[in-house]
Amino acid sequence: MKQLKPVFLRCEYTENPIGVHEAHPLLSWRCESGRPGGRQTAYQIAASSTKEELDSGEYTLWNSGKVRGDQFCGIPYYGTPLASARRAYWKVRIWDEEEKVSDFSDAAFFEMGLLEKTDWKGRWMSFLGGMVGNGITIRYGFKVPDKKVRRARAYIAGIGYYELRLNGRRVGDRLLDPGAMDFSKTVLYSAYDVSKDIRSGANAAGLILGTGWAGHPKALFQLNIEFEDGTIQEECTDWGIGWLVARGPITNNSIYDGEDYDARLEKDGWDTPEYTLADAAEHQRPGGWIHCTVVEPPGGELIGALLPPVRVTGTFEPRLLRVLDDGRELWDAGANRTGWVRLRVSGERGAGVSLTFAEVLNSEGDLQMLPLRTARCQDNYILRGDKGVEEYAPRFTYHGFQYFTVRKTGNLKIESLSVEFARTDLARNAVFKCDNEYLNRLADIMWHTDACNIFSVPTDCCQRDERHGWGTDPTVRIEGCVYHFDVASFFEKWLRDIFDTQSDDGYFADTAPHRWGRRPCDPQVNVPALLPLLVYHSYGNRRALEKTYEPLKKYVHALLVEADRLLISRTGWGEWACPRDECIPEEYGPGAVAKNIDPTLVSTAYLYYSVSLVSESAAVLGKEKEAAYYRDLAGFVRQRFNGRFFNPQTCQYDKGSQSANTLALYLGLAEPEYSGRITENIVQALKDKGNHLTTGSMGTKAILEVLCREGKADLGYDVMTTKTCPGFGYMLEQGASSIWERWEADTDNNIMNSRNQPMLAAAAVWFYKYLAGIGMESGAVAFQDLVIKPQVPQALSHVEASMDIMAGRVSSAWSKTAGSFTLTLEIPFNTRARVHVPPVIPSAASLTVNGQAEKAERDEKGEYILRLGAGKYEIVLK
């Protein structure tokens, strides 16, 4: 049995972060114990200014004392307030259900960023005299006295992207940094520990600036060096102190168009202290160095970036398919991925390689560029020719692609090509496996699609001239993200992006950051109401609710003012991207606006849902009167909705489409006495279509959830395994390695036809929440109160899944034979579970838990209900 001891201490959902910007950062931990039923009944947090003080028991910053309760995440630091750049070391111990106290955890730390405007001593810099689109190269030399460095911190805010270098080496591993944001509202900066990179004597800092999301790049940089004697040296960007700029080898860069790199323009050693202006061709002339320009600040509040960065998370070898008639080579990356190609090449000076990317091939077997719209999606490299094998991968762009062509000009030899898969490096949370290999593949592809579309915001697609954080799709997508990844810090960043778009009249924008779409947003945009609650229920982050509650009320008020007697008719999207026969045709091909569901139904349904979520938020925050007010208001919207769209004789909503009936049930608008007949109408509509869906962005995940809630596990299985169009199986049968934007994308290569779009992939929750049965009680916090309720389709014999939650790993696996059903569970310390054992063995005579006979209550469906604490369990029904 493991010793009781807290582990995996995190601050702001990050291990040992630097650059923390919250005055009361959130703390969390886990505790691993093999003892059945283990739970926490109290905790004590201690914090000190140094690790030595903490280890000796001298708690100079905070001693919480013994705090009763089982809370272990989202706990605010309430010790002595910390100044900028100050570090706190902390540890925790807990008491268990037997009032036994654990050992203290190992020490963890968090370090504050630069909290005040006055902490930033420099000015924003760039170059206004040209170089548009160029990867601007900036250098700065400085001297450090011959004294022992206690610590050194580099802080940088780059707009758009930056690469920071110090004494000839890259600092950190953050790629495409910072992420997308509205720089007029928020500017993310990164903090780096560079204590080991500082030398006595001459030093050099270097910056490479890319366009990113900004249009024209700029940077704010500060280096704080603390010496053992207590003195501090500060270096920062400013005019006239030696910050110089020159054209770099990146001659053009764009997220959408790609990157052009001319290696002949490289300046060897430019970021080292040994480099001098005498090494440059000319000073203050084209090709040489000139003073940087002071530029206007972007205007946003500087905030430390704690979300995981973009990184390369996998490398793959592509396969040469053939040489095209014009001499280009056509390569296959093996799957639809996000990232780039790393090139190793040798050859003569001025020879070049052009790499062009696309998702699919056209009828002639060449790259199909039409779905990319205006995006060029091309990287170009020109050789310098004097250093043997040259290596290149772009710095300031990424592509979504499966295929690419290679065009060679001049005398060169390609030594190797490798595909690098890049994404925001969120930890993978869940794993699924069953005895149907097709479903295993589908689950992996849905995870992969989600992964490809997380680049500092949850993007809608990853390849064309868009790639934005829409507010509509994530309404259904974000729950799946919680199963797929640890998105605690990622979603808090995007939550800020969302509320940065709010206008004075209360409306949000269609996208966050707002770079596309409308403001006011489509009225079905529900993420401002849903995401704060999701972050609270999944990760215990109450602060997210506290910060967003009042602005959210303002949004709901704007919708209510707009509504005509609680009905909203304005819409832009509705039930988006149904199968082509369900959509209104447009001149360029099948449109995406549904023709068989009234858009007012969709907008009003989500008005009801948003008002309901505001009521729930108010209740969590202890605002009981407001919770009751919004609960009553939601009831009035529900009455108005049903009066307008529901036919009690036929039990159909609107025109009786799958989406209309499904959304009414899924969002809680249908009266309970009608739910059975509405469900049967959905079932009949599916049978009439041969188990094919007619749903789009909002209804696809919802219909699977409704089927499972209403005990239609076999039909849900049939829908997910249908291998003709429209269906997920059809995509896989056609060789898809990621989920498409349109059900029939292979037959309609029009301008809205992404082959890597997470909208429909939101249905991935079916694998974890329903087949494996891993969910949580309504109102639960951080999955601490689990519900394990697996669905058991007749066609499956075995399912297993595991998922990391704040408390640790929860797993659920079941298998069945003709005479027995076995459910194997692992429930982490300090959590508990209501377990439903389905009555899949009609003649079952016994139920055992870990070999012991168990008398369990049964519900109206015949399911056996067990209430279990932490531990490992084998439950057998036979």
Side-chain angles (χ1 to χ4, degrees):
M1 185 177 296
K2 294 181 180 179
Q3 181 184 9
L4 187 66
K5 183 178 179 181
V7 295
F8 195 45
L9 275 64
R10 293 194 291 173
C11 171
E12 293 293 300
Y13 305 96
T14 304
E15 291 186 83
N16 298 331
I18 63 174
V20 174
H21 215 79
E22 293 285 346
H24 304 287
L26 304 180
L27 308 178
S28 63
W29 57 85
R30 293 178 180 174
C31 193
E32 297 176 351
S33 169
R35 188 172 66 256
R39 58 186 176 87
Q40 172 189 302
T41 58
Y43 65 85
Q44 179 187 4
I45 300 172
S48 302
S49 297
T50 67
K51 186 174 183 298
E52 292 71 23
E53 290 174 342
L54 188 72
D55 290 342
S56 67
E58 187 180 356
Y59 306 144
T60 55
L61 293 178
W62 189 29
N63 183 356
S64 72
K66 185 176 181 180
V67 180
R68 286 286 177 186
D70 60 359
Q71 186 180 3
F72 64 99
C73 62
I75 299 172
Y77 166 82
Y78 278 120
T80 301
L82 298 174
S84 293
R86 293 301 91 192
R87 177 177 286 195
Y89 291 86
W90 68 286
K91 61 184 179 180
V92 63
R93 63 176 176 175
I94 69 165
W95 284 258
D96 67 11
E97 75 284 356
E98 297 177 351
E99 284 299 310
K100 293 180 179 177
V101 65
S102 74
D103 290 337
F104 269 110
S105 68
D106 294 337
F109 69 82
F110 61 90
E111 184 176 303
M112 308 307 286
L114 301 183
L115 306 179
E116 306 294 337
K117 286 183 179 180
T118 53
D119 294 326
W120 293 90
K121 303 301 171 57
R123 292 190 284 178
W124 285 88
M125 304 201 75
S126 182
F127 186 68
L128 298 180
M131 303 188 193
V132 176
N134 191 265
I136 297 175
T137 303
I138 298 176
R139 67 160 274 123
Y140 174 68
F142 61 98
K143 291 185 177 180
V144 173
D146 187 14
K147 297 192 293 186
K148 188 172 182 180
V149 173
R150 176 185 297 162
R151 69 174 189 172
R153 297 290 183 267
Y155 305 94
I156 178 169
I159 297 177
Y161 294 143
Y162 72 88
E163 181 178 305
L164 173 62
R165 305 184 68 82
L166 189 59
N167 293 331
R169 297 176 58 187
R170 179 177 187 143
V171 175
D173 62 353
R174 305 179 74 92
L175 304 177
L176 301 176
D177 200 48
M181 69 198 81
D182 180 348
F183 301 118
S184 70
K185 300 289 183 66
T186 299
V187 177
L188 294 182
Y189 69 86
S190 295
Y192 297 99
D193 183 348
V194 293
S195 305
K196 297 180 180 179
D197 300 301
I198 300 298
R199 310 174 183 176
S200 296
N203 288 259
L207 297 173
I208 308 173
L209 302 184
T211 304
W213 301 95
H216 190 88
K218 61 183 75 174
L220 178 67
F221 170 80
Q222 182 152 327
L223 174 66
N224 292 347
I225 306 169
E226 298 180 23
F227 299 98
E228 289 289 351
D229 64 4
T231 59
I232 297 176
Q233 179 177 342
E234 296 176 332
E235 304 289 347
C236 58
T237 44
D238 206 348
W239 166 258
I241 61 173
W243 286 93
L244 302 174
V245 61
R247 289 186 182 274
I250 300 175
T251 58
N252 190 57
N253 70 98
S254 161
I255 296 168
Y256 304 111
D257 291 339
E259 186 175 286
D260 298 337
Y261 190 97
D262 188 344
R264 297 172 298 182
L265 303 178
E266 291 179 341
K267 295 174 172 59
D268 293 340
W270 68 274
D271 54 354
T272 66
E274 292 75 25
Y275 185 86
T276 65
L277 293 181
D279 297 320
E282 294 180 79
H283 177 44
Q284 294 202 12
R285 295 291 186 272
W289 296 86
I290 194 168
H291 288 292
C292 289
T293 309
V294 174
V295 295
E296 290 296 321
E301 181 185 2
L302 284 160
I303 298 292
L306 295 184
L307 76 161
V310 173
R311 293 189 179 103
V312 172
T313 62
T315 302
F316 305 89
E317 295 303 315
R319 178 171 62 95
L320 177 63
L321 295 180
R322 58 186 171 274
V323 178
L324 301 174
D325 292 342
D326 60 2
R328 288 174 299 139
E329 296 174 353
L330 178 65
W331 290 77
D332 183 352
N336 195 323
R337 310 183 196 281
T338 46
W340 44 77
V341 168
R342 180 170 292 277
L343 167 72
R344 297 180 70 251
V345 61
S346 59
E348 66 181 8
R349 185 176 181 84
V353 181
S354 181
L355 304 167
T356 306
F357 302 86
E359 293 187 290
V360 292
L361 303 178
N362 60 25
S363 58
E364 287 77 39
D366 203 343
L367 300 180
Q368 173 56 275
M369 305 299 288
L370 179 63
L372 303 175
R373 306 196 296 214
T374 64
R376 186 187 70 166
C377 302
Q378 184 179 97
D379 298 333
N380 295 296
Y381 181 79
I382 299 176
L383 281 72
R384 59 185 285 172
D386 63 355
K387 63 175 191 179
V389 177
E390 303 176 33
E391 187 169 319
Y392 168 74
R395 280 183 172 88
F396 299 137
T397 193
Y398 76 96
H399 308 285
F401 67 101
Q402 176 165 349
Y403 302 98
F404 63 96
T405 58
V406 179
R407 183 191 294 276
K408 296 177 281 189
T409 57
N411 184 18
L412 62 86
K413 177 186 177 183
I414 293 181
E415 305 289 341
S416 68
L417 296 168
S418 57
V419 174
E420 296 185 335
F421 177 33
R423 61 180 177 89
T424 295
D425 191 14
L426 302 174
R428 183 168 185 170
N429 251 18
V431 178
F432 172 87
K433 187 177 181 181
C434 70
D435 59 320
N436 182 319
E437 284 305 313
Y438 154 78
L439 287 180
N440 294 337
R441 183 178 162 215
L442 180 58
D444 283 341
I445 284 174
M446 286 182 165
W447 176 89
H448 177 76
T449 306
D450 232 0
C452 289
N453 285 281
I454 293 185
F455 267 80
S456 80
V457 297
T459 59
D460 60 323
C461 58
C462 54
Q463 64 299 107
R464 65 183 180 224
D465 56 352
E466 195 169 349
R467 314 184 201 181
H468 296 299
W470 284 92
T472 45
D473 301 352
T475 295
V476 293
R477 178 188 175 191
I478 55 176
E479 183 183 17
C481 289
V482 169
Y483 281 95
H484 282 156
F485 308 104
D486 178 354
V487 286
S489 57
F490 175 83
F491 271 161
E492 188 159 22
K493 180 267 180 188
W494 192 51
L495 195 61
R496 186 180 182 104
D497 291 334
I498 292 169
F499 280 82
D500 276 352
T501 76
Q502 191 170 26
S503 58
D504 291 341
D505 60 4
Y507 281 107
F508 297 94
D510 277 332
T511 60
H514 185 206
R515 304 187 189 281
W516 194 288
R518 305 177 182 93
R519 185 166 53 195
C521 59
D522 190 286
Q524 74 191 57
V525 168
N526 178 254
V527 208
L530 182 60
L531 187 55
L533 278 167
L534 182 102
V535 168
Y536 169 69
H537 288 305
S538 300
Y539 304 108
N541 186 345
R542 179 187 171 95
R543 182 181 66 205
L545 287 175
E546 294 170 342
K547 285 186 174 183
T548 59
Y549 177 70
E550 292 298 331
L552 179 58
K553 285 167 53 181
K554 192 175 180 181
Y555 173 52
V556 169
H557 177 72
L559 291 174
L560 292 168
V561 169
E562 173 186 354
D564 177 10
R565 292 178 296 168
L566 302 180
L567 296 174
I568 296 184
S569 297
R570 178 179 61 86
T571 186
W573 319 119
E575 173 65 319
W576 186 252
C578 297
R580 59 180 300 170
D581 292 342
E582 298 288 321
C583 293
I584 300 171
E586 297 183 1
E587 60 179 290
Y588 60 82
V593 176
K595 65 182 179 182
N596 290 321
I597 179 172
D598 190 327
T600 301
L601 181 148
V602 181
S603 294
T604 306
Y606 278 95
L607 171 63
Y608 167 81
Y609 192 36
S610 293
V611 174
S612 299
L613 293 174
V614 173
S615 175
E616 183 182 347
S617 298
V620 171
L621 296 174
K623 301 175 184 294
E624 295 301 334
K625 289 184 179 179
E626 294 188 24
Y629 169 78
Y630 286 107
R631 186 165 53 248
D632 292 342
L633 180 58
F636 294 137
V637 177
R638 182 184 188 188
Q639 290 174 14
R640 186 81 174 96
F641 177 90
N642 286 322
R644 167 72 180 272
F645 295 109
F646 184 60
N647 184 330
Q649 282 71 46
T650 62
C651 285
Q652 301 275 23
Y653 278 88
D654 194 32
K655 300 175 184 177
S657 66
Q658 293 178 17
S659 294
N661 288 329
T662 292
L663 289 176
L665 282 177
Y666 176 65
L667 298 176
L669 287 146
E671 298 292 346
E673 62 264 31
Y674 295 115
S675 62
R677 289 183 60 194
I678 298 169
T679 301
E680 290 306 317
N681 284 332
I682 295 172
V683 170
Q684 188 59 50
L686 284 165
K687 290 181 178 178
D688 291 344
K689 291 289 185 178
N691 295 332
H692 293 106
L693 295 171
T694 62
T695 54
S697 60
M698 313 310 289
T700 298
K701 170 182 180 282
I703 198 169
L704 287 161
E705 294 220 38
V706 165
L707 291 174
C708 291
R709 289 177 189 176
E710 299 298 323
K712 308 295 181 183
D714 289 322
L715 183 54
Y717 174 90
D718 292 341
V719 168
M720 288 292 278
T721 55
T722 296
K723 296 184 179 179
T724 51
C725 188
F728 293 115
Y730 176 75
M731 297 182 194
L732 270 61
E733 290 292 299
Q734 303 308 305
S737 56
S738 50
I739 300 301
W740 301 343
E741 183 174 21
R742 303 304 301 266
W743 291 107
E744 53 285 298
D746 61 319
T747 61
D748 290 304
N749 273 314
N750 61 21
I751 65 171
M752 200 195 87
N753 199 0
S754 164
R755 297 299 185 92
N756 195 333
Q757 227 281 8
M759 174 178 66
L760 298 175
V765 298
W766 180 73
F767 294 105
Y768 313 102
K769 188 176 180 180
Y770 293 105
L771 285 188
I774 300 174
M776 61 176 157
E777 297 279 9
S778 175
V781 179
F783 281 87
Q784 202 167 357
D785 292 284
L786 290 159
V787 176
I788 308 294
K789 191 175 182 179
Q791 301 278 320
V792 185
Q794 292 184 12
L796 287 178
S797 298
H798 174 73
V799 164
E800 59 182 88
S802 61
M803 176 187 175
D804 281 334
I805 58 177
M806 289 299 294
R809 172 147 291 199
V810 56
S811 66
S812 170
W814 58 260
S815 59
K816 63 182 172 76
T817 64
S820 68
F821 175 81
T822 301
L823 177 62
T824 305
L825 304 175
E826 182 173 2
I827 302 169
F829 181 88
N830 205 26
T831 59
R832 49 221 159 242
R834 171 166 54 90
V835 180
H836 290 243
V837 183
V840 292
I841 309 299
S843 58
S846 67
L847 177 70
T848 59
V849 178
N850 291 343
Q852 301 295 314
E854 182 78 22
K855 291 185 178 180
E857 62 178 291
R858 301 183 73 173
D859 64 11
E860 68 280 0
K861 297 179 182 178
E863 293 181 333
Y864 298 85
I865 300 177
L866 302 171
R867 301 185 187 277
L868 304 175
K872 296 182 179 180
Y873 301 94
E874 183 183 68
I875 302 165
V876 179
L877 182 66
K878 62 180 180 179

